[in-house]
Amino acid sequence: YKKKKHLVEEYYVKNKSFVNVSMLVSGILGAILVKSLGIRVIWLVTGVAILLATFVYLFGEEHFKKKKQNITKHAKDVVDYTKKSIGYSLHHHVIFWLMLSSILMIAIYFFSGSFSWFPFLESLGFKQHWFGYLSSAIFSLCIFAPYFSRPLLKKAKSHKNFFLIVLSVMFFSLFLVEFTTSLIVLVILLGIFWLASNFFIPIRDNYFQMFVPKRIRATVGSVKGLLSS
């Protein structure tokens, strides 16, 4: 970690890219299955996928040293660390706003995802099995988007400028939806929104880590995940 510069940033970039690869594959498979067997098959396929993922984890090897610990003391330490992490997060002028931003972004993804986009596009004549192909097309572009996030950050010259530009693009891509009923334009706007999101997330997550002390990083990360949920 100390020998390689930008290692953490590369992790977030590659992680987001790999996730998009899975979205590309799942979109194509979903479109084929829904067209052949109907929308209800998605629940069965999702359940089978979860079981397969669980099965894969059985082959993972763990390397650790067992320590004899008092359960009561360990529980007390966890509570103390959690309190310290929450206090640190609330009083840190950067981490607090990044956490608040994460909560708001989760809400945005929820309302701008299947909760609203899919019914809206369906009302304009978009067929159910087309969504799989649409998501695959969008995420095929998003596979490469995270790799452009660092060059864009350099162009913006600061994290603040980068966040302002990318979030403005996301805002206007959603705002313009109100003024069009063209399927082509709506698909383009949806693609712009998700591309901008893939520029944003790796830089935001890496920026968050820059301000978290190593000794409470895991706990602060858990608090962030809890709040986002």
Side-chain angles (χ1 to χ4, degrees), residues 2-211:
K2 293 180 179 180
K3 292 182 179 179
K4 190 172 182 180
K5 195 177 181 181
H6 302 303
L7 182 62
V8 176
E9 186 176 324
E10 284 183 12
Y11 162 76
Y12 285 114
V13 166
K14 291 178 180 179
N15 178 66
K16 191 63 181 172
S17 182
F18 288 148
V19 169
N20 291 332
V21 170
S22 67
M23 296 297 290
L24 166 64
V25 175
S26 64
I28 295 173
L29 289 176
I32 295 171
L33 290 171
V34 169
K35 185 177 181 180
S36 304
L37 303 172
I39 193 68
R40 293 177 68 88
V41 75
I42 291 297
W43 308 109
L44 176 62
V45 172
T46 303
V48 171
I50 292 172
L51 286 176
L52 288 175
T54 304
F55 181 73
V56 169
Y57 277 119
L58 295 176
F59 296 95
E61 293 185 11
E62 292 184 279
H63 300 278
F64 60 92
K65 294 181 180 180
K66 290 185 178 180
K67 293 182 179 180
K68 291 184 178 180
Q69 291 184 326
N70 183 286
I71 296 178
T72 304
K73 183 180 181 302
H74 184 63
K76 183 178 180 299
D77 289 341
V78 170
V79 172
D80 289 340
Y81 263 107
T82 303
K83 287 180 179 179
K84 290 178 182 178
S85 299
I86 293 174
Y88 182 86
S89 303
L90 291 176
H91 292 93
H92 194 285
H93 67 286
V94 175
I95 292 178
F96 172 77
W97 291 109
L98 285 174
M99 282 191 170
L100 182 60
S101 168
S102 297
I103 295 171
L104 293 175
M105 290 303 294
I106 292 296
I108 290 169
Y109 292 144
F110 179 75
F111 285 108
S112 63
S114 57
F115 186 77
S116 55
W117 271 100
F118 289 2
F120 182 46
L121 290 174
E122 273 190 300
S123 70
L124 297 175
F126 205 81
K127 298 186 183 299
Q128 284 183 340
H129 67 275
W130 290 357
F131 287 110
Y133 295 123
L134 174 61
S135 64
S136 292
I138 291 174
F139 286 107
S140 66
L141 298 175
C142 291
I143 291 171
F144 306 101
Y147 292 97
F148 291 95
S149 56
R150 192 193 302 166
L152 288 174
L153 175 60
K154 290 180 179 179
K155 287 285 186 182
K157 297 182 179 179
S158 73
H159 284 83
K160 184 184 292 185
N161 291 341
F162 176 84
F163 292 146
L164 181 61
I165 293 169
V166 174
L167 291 175
S168 295
V169 171
M170 294 174 69
F171 165 75
F172 282 110
S173 65
L174 294 180
F175 179 75
L176 292 174
V177 170
E178 181 68 23
F179 303 98
T180 182
T181 55
S182 168
L183 272 176
I184 295 176
V185 174
L186 287 171
V187 167
I188 291 172
L189 290 174
L190 179 61
I192 291 172
F193 174 83
W194 282 107
L195 277 172
S197 171
N198 278 266
F199 293 141
F200 172 74
I201 292 175
I203 299 300
R204 180 204 62 188
D205 290 346
N206 180 63
Y207 188 60
F208 175 83
Q209 294 295 336
M210 290 167 59
F211 296 95

